[in-house]
Each structure stands twice: as C-alpha cells, then as structure tokens.
Amino acid sequence: FGNGDNQLGLQILRIWVDSDSNQWYKEVATAKAAIAKGAIAFATPWNPPSNLCETFYKNGVASKRLKHDKYYEYAVHLNNFVTYMKNNGVDLYAISCANEPDYGHDWTWWTESELYNFVRYYAQHINCRVIAPESFSYQKSFSDAILNDSKALANVEIIGTHLYGTQYKNFAYPLFQQKGAGKQ
C-alpha cells in the first residue's frame, strides 16, 4: 500500500457487499488490514437480497432488478452493512448503490430512472458517503439526472464510474464541472 518507494501504489480497497448479511464477516479482516496500512475502504453491492428482487426480461434474457416498492428496504440493507462494518472496526469511506447498473451481466440491472429515484428518495437513509452511479462504461446519462437534481445530488458524495471501453477523449464531463462542486 502507499505510493512511496518500494510500495505497491495501492491506497484504496473496494470490498463486496454480499446480498446475504451472514457473509459480511468475510470482508472485515481484509478491510481492517488495508486501513491499518493507510488505505481507505469502500464497498459495492452487486445484488440486493433476493427477497427484494424480481425477474424481468431484458433483450429476451431473464434478468433481475430491485423491486420498485423495496427501495427503502434496500437502503436499510446498505446502511446495515455500513453499521456492521463499523461495529467490527471498519469505518468505510463510502458505499456504492450498485455495481455497473447498466451492465447487469450476473448482477442486478438498473435503469437510469431507477437509480436516480433510489438516490433521490432513499440514499439519505445510508449513514455513509454514497457513490453513484458506477456505470459500466462512463455512461454520463446515468449521472446527469443526479447532477441535475439538487436533492438527488445532496444524497451523493462521489460520482463513481467505470471506464471500460471509454476513450480518453470522452473523459471530460462539463456537467460535473458545472454542478458537482464539493463532490468527488
């Protein structure tokens, strides 16, 4: 860890929020070790608990999504993870709402409006910095709705994204520069 001589350059650890709270203990030791070496740790879920999900068909393939009437329960689930980690000696830097909501290969799909609605109306129930949207390939349209709504933006501290397949020339994000003051 660290960026000094003979160090790996690692300063951030991303841990998994298992949909099964009985498995959360598996992330504690690694997170504690990383933090002890000066890293920050943040968490990302791939799936909500199965009782909060439903099956739908995307492009003819059975897929899963968070039931629209279970957003509050999902926010509680994420907050419970934050609390569990804190009670076990891990003060998370942040928690994401979803891993790659626009990809959902083996995990939960989200539309732009679903993720926006979750962030806008439910993310304030999470007692930690919130990361959203964590798009698969820097689809700015997933962030635009959040950035264009002051109440949604107030519930997010970090506009997160993945850069898979994104060309450097597409990295600039004028809307974030315009409206993301104070956000990472």
Side-chain angles (χ1 to χ4, degrees), residues 129 153 156-159 176-184:
R129 289 177 192 94
L153 188 57
V156 174
E157 294 296 323
I158 302 166
I159 301 294
F176 178 80
Q177 297 302 322
Q178 178 187 3
K179 297 192 174 184
K183 305 296 178 177
Q184 298 176 347

Side-chain angles (χ1 to χ4, degrees), residues 66-75 114 117-118 122:
L66 179 63
K67 293 177 186 175
H68 294 161
D69 65 343
K70 298 296 182 184
Y71 283 18
Y72 176 75
E73 288 88 341
Y74 182 55
E114 288 168 340
N117 283 326
F118 178 78
Y122 299 95

Side-chain angles (χ1 to χ4, degrees), residues 1-147:
F1 289 90
N3 285 327
D5 292 342
N6 299 315
Q7 293 182 324
L8 292 174
L10 301 177
Q11 297 178 324
I12 301 170
L13 174 69
R14 180 182 190 215
I15 61 173
W16 182 39
V17 180
D18 197 303
S19 60
D20 178 358
S21 61
N22 293 316
Q23 303 302 311
W24 291 350
Y25 73 92
K26 293 178 180 179
E27 300 297 329
V28 173
T30 303
K32 286 173 87 169
I35 291 169
K37 294 184 182 302
I40 62 169
F42 76 93
T44 301
W46 271 243
N47 292 303
S50 60
N51 65 311
L52 305 182
C53 292
E54 65 186 357
T55 300
F56 77 110
Y57 288 88
K58 181 163 181 70
N59 302 324
V61 177
S63 302
K64 67 179 136 191
R65 70 175 166 214
L66 179 63
K67 293 177 186 175
H68 294 161
D69 65 343
K70 298 296 182 184
Y71 283 18
Y72 176 75
E73 288 88 341
Y74 182 55
V76 170
H77 170 76
L78 295 178
N79 193 60
N80 286 345
F81 182 82
V82 171
T83 301
Y84 176 87
M85 295 303 285
K86 188 172 193 114
N87 289 344
N88 284 278
V90 177
D91 190 15
L92 290 173
Y93 183 78
I95 190 165
S96 178
C97 299
N99 177 61
E100 300 174 348
D102 51 336
Y103 185 69
H105 178 67
D106 290 330
W107 48 89
T108 304
W109 283 96
W110 296 70
T111 65
E112 294 166 9
S113 62
E114 288 168 340
L115 191 60
Y116 161 77
N117 283 326
F118 178 78
V119 167
R120 170 73 159 76
Y121 298 104
Y122 299 95
Q124 75 268 17
H125 299 291
I126 303 168
N127 295 314
C128 188
R129 289 177 192 94
V130 172
I131 303 170
E134 236 188 295
S135 167
F136 168 68
S137 59
Y138 200 17
Q139 296 298 316
K140 294 178 182 108
S141 58
F142 268 80
S143 306
D144 288 352
I146 295 167
L147 288 166

